[in-house]
Amino acid sequence: MLAAIFVGLVAAEHLYILALEMFLWTKPRTRKTFNTTPEFAEQTKSLAANQGLYNGFLAAGLIWGLVHPNADFGYQIQLFFLICVLVAALYGGLTTKRSILVMQGLPALITLLLVLFT
């Protein structure tokens, strides 16, 4: 049960990122979060929306794993998408902003360990 709660939290985090990147990218609060200027946010709006869509796919996969009627297959789906989140967090943390390792990578790692060992 604890693992499922954490999977849900990681999915919720990625739905939040989807909203920021797809719909709120040019808003002051989002620009502050991502440390962007109004001009940069406007110029990169479509790129951010594309990133947001991918975050939505990660969330959808995690939710799919939670609700799949075959628990064994749902477990495998969860593992796959948690590993995808970890890979994305590693890449983002190493190439864009180190805090991604903590903000996205650490919750995914903790959740992966819970799914594997509980």
Side-chain angles (χ1 to χ4, degrees):
M1 182 63 148
L2 184 62
I5 291 168
F6 273 73
V7 170
L9 290 172
V10 173
E13 177 184 27
H14 286 275
L15 288 173
Y16 177 67
I17 296 168
L18 172 147
L20 290 176
E21 293 176 340
M22 289 190 80
F23 307 113
L24 304 170
W25 185 248
T26 59
K27 303 295 183 198
R29 186 171 175 190
T30 304
R31 287 190 290 102
K32 183 178 179 186
T33 300
F34 289 94
N35 196 28
T36 61
T37 64
E39 298 79 21
F40 180 82
E42 196 58 46
Q43 292 170 350
T44 59
K45 195 164 39 174
S46 64
L47 293 172
N50 189 49
Q51 285 180 191
L53 185 62
Y54 284 101
N55 278 288
F57 292 148
L58 293 172
L62 291 169
I63 293 166
W64 178 36
L66 283 174
V67 301
H68 198 281
N70 180 322
D72 290 335
F73 190 54
Y75 171 82
Q76 293 172 1
I77 294 167
Q78 290 173 46
L79 290 179
F80 174 79
F81 280 95
L82 286 167
I83 291 168
C84 288
V85 170
L86 274 172
V87 170
L90 286 170
Y91 184 80
L94 295 173
T95 62
T96 306
K97 192 176 179 184
R98 294 248 186 252
S99 64
I100 294 172
L101 292 170
V102 174
M103 299 301 293
Q104 293 177 33
L106 188 58
L109 177 61
I110 291 167
T111 303
L112 179 63
L113 294 173
L114 284 170
V115 169
L116 283 169
F117 299 112
T118 60

